[in-house]
Amino acid sequence: QVQLVESGGGLVQPGGSLRLSCAASIRIFSFKAMGWYRQAPGKERELVATIIAGGLINYADSAKGRFTISRDFAKNTVHLQMNSLKPEDTAVYYCYVDRAGTPTTWGQGTLVTVSS
């Protein structure tokens, strides 16, 4: 069983940056996948970025070139560095973890608002 605590959301102007963090309660080294979804008002939840066990990283087309996902094994934390933020990036961002034989675990969500 794992718990995820998210932080780093907030209000930022277009073109600005935020760094989201997702701290896990257990070691993340062997997690099958970790990443971030987001859900904007009235929209379906969409995958933003994911990193899988072998180190492969995938980004949504809208995030590619602007967002970077990374892991800090020492701190059992995954980060999402978001640069060149746009108003359409406004959403609640949810960290997730997949482990073999275990249902997906979700963070509580952190709100990102991109506005002038």
Side-chain angles (χ1 to χ4, degrees):
Q1 191 170 355
V2 60
Q3 295 177 340
L4 304 176
V5 179
E6 300 183 43
S7 62
L11 175 64
V12 65
Q13 292 185 334
S17 298
L18 286 173
R19 184 175 176 86
L20 306 184
S21 298
C22 177
S25 60
I26 64 173
R27 190 184 183 203
I28 68 170
F29 184 83
S30 61
F31 285 7
K32 295 301 181 183
M34 299 185 67
W36 298 83
Y37 281 77
R38 68 185 180 189
Q39 188 165 27
K43 302 290 184 64
E44 295 182 352
R45 186 174 296 189
E46 65 172 343
L47 181 64
V48 178
T50 186
I51 182 166
I52 63 176
L56 295 177
I57 296 172
N58 291 309
Y59 297 100
D61 287 340
S62 61
K64 192 172 298 182
R66 300 188 298 125
F67 294 3
T68 303
I69 188 171
S70 62
R71 295 173 293 184
D72 185 339
F73 293 118
K75 296 182 178 180
N76 295 318
T77 299
V78 62
H79 300 284
L80 184 67
Q81 178 67 44
M82 304 187 296
N83 299 325
S84 302
L85 284 163
K86 306 173 181 179
E88 51 263 44
D89 295 317
T90 297
V92 177
Y93 285 70
Y94 297 92
C95 178
Y96 81 94
V97 169
D98 283 329
R99 296 189 294 160
T102 303
T104 300
T105 300
W106 297 92
Q108 84 281 6
T110 185
L111 176 63
V112 172
T113 303
V114 185
S115 180
S116 298

